[in-house]
Amino acid sequence: MLKIMNLSKSFNKETENEINIFNNFNLEIEKNKCTAIIGPNGCGKSTLLNMIGGSIMADEGKIILNKKDIGSLREEKRAIYIGRVYQDPSMGVSPSLTILENMSLADKKGEKFSLRRLVKKDRIPKYVELLKDLDLGLENKLNTKVKYLSGGQRQSLSLIMAAMKHPDLLLLDEHTAALDPKTSHVVMRKTKELIEKYKITTIMISHNMRDAIEYSDRIIMLDKGQVVLDKHSMEISELELMNIYRDKVAERFVS
Ligand SMILES: Nc1ncnc2c1ncn2[C@@H]1O[C@H](COP(=O)(O)OP(=O)(O)O)[C@@H](O)[C@H]1O
Ligand SMILES: [Mg+2]
């Protein structure tokens, strides 16, 4: 489904601040599964997702999505196949536009359109249906500007916008990290419902071991540009995962 081959990436090349994040990195992601990626701060999780999504170009290597090499496509082209939700609740939406306008924009992804004729009335029932699924009452706020929504409401909206066109791949980068624990739980549950309902292949970066186990099918731990753990979520407990994670973080201080 997604095959990452011999990926390499450094930042600040040929300066004294050069850092190598990945060197000949390989990874395969299975179709219709949710794969969680965890790992210490700064180990390259977001960089990996950014290279898949196309906001950062890899230095070398291939990114094959459904047998197509997308590695050299621009981010806007990749967005036809790939949906994204970011950590920052203002990133996946346009705060000064209404819910209806935001959903219309998401609906037109990959098409040419004019902003004046953004909203198609016949699509509104579809948006209402998607919003109702969230159970947050957003279907009654179609004309509310998104800047007036809470972080949890925005992230939930971002999620259905990213999933609306049934992307081949959904990338979630700590999309609940900015939310309070209760809201984070609600958004994670909605995430799971949505990706199961539409069978969306998902890569989810998480800082939360429990979420990683509970909401994914497979867990990958990254450290120093390598996969240091790769297990079915059923095969590992939160405690085991915490211990391995702690050891990896501790090793960083020793080495
Ligand atoms: N655009 C960039 N320019 C320079 N360094 C970067 C850039 N993006 C990320 N980095 C560095 O790359 C490393 C990995 O970052 P990142 O992928 O954001 O880590 P993670 O998401 O695992 O916390 C960090 O040391 C970070 O400072
Ligand atoms: Mg990150």
Side-chain angles (χ1 to χ4, degrees), residues 41-42 44-47 87 173-174 205:
N41 250 338
K45 304 179 296 295
S46 295
T47 303
Q87 181 172 343
D173 189 349
E174 304 203 43
I205 296 178

Side-chain angles (χ1 to χ4, degrees), residues 9-12 17 19-22 37-50 56 87 173-174 205 222:
K9 180 72 196 172
S10 298
F11 287 114
N12 308 320
N17 296 321
I19 36 168
N20 177 248
I21 312 287
F22 292 104
I37 297 190
I38 57 173
N41 250 338
C43 73
K45 304 179 296 295
S46 295
T47 303
L48 179 62
L49 246 58
N50 289 336
I56 289 181
Q87 181 172 343
D173 189 349
E174 304 203 43
I205 296 178
L222 288 185

Side-chain angles (χ1 to χ4, degrees), residues 117 161 194 204:
R117 295 210 200 109
M161 284 166 55
L194 195 78
M204 175 180 86

Side-chain angles (χ1 to χ4, degrees), residues 173-213:
D173 189 349
E174 304 203 43
H175 70 305
T176 64
L179 308 175
D180 64 78
K182 192 164 158 246
T183 312
S184 163
H185 186 68
V186 172
V187 174
M188 279 308 312
R189 251 200 356 254
K190 298 290 166 204
T191 305
K192 190 173 165 73
E193 278 170 22
L194 195 78
I195 61 188
E196 280 178 358
K197 182 168 177 185
Y198 297 107
K199 295 194 171 46
I200 303 174
T201 309
T202 303
I203 305 179
M204 175 180 86
I205 296 178
S206 178
H207 60 291
N208 181 314
M209 306 289 151
R210 186 177 301 167
D211 281 355
I213 290 187

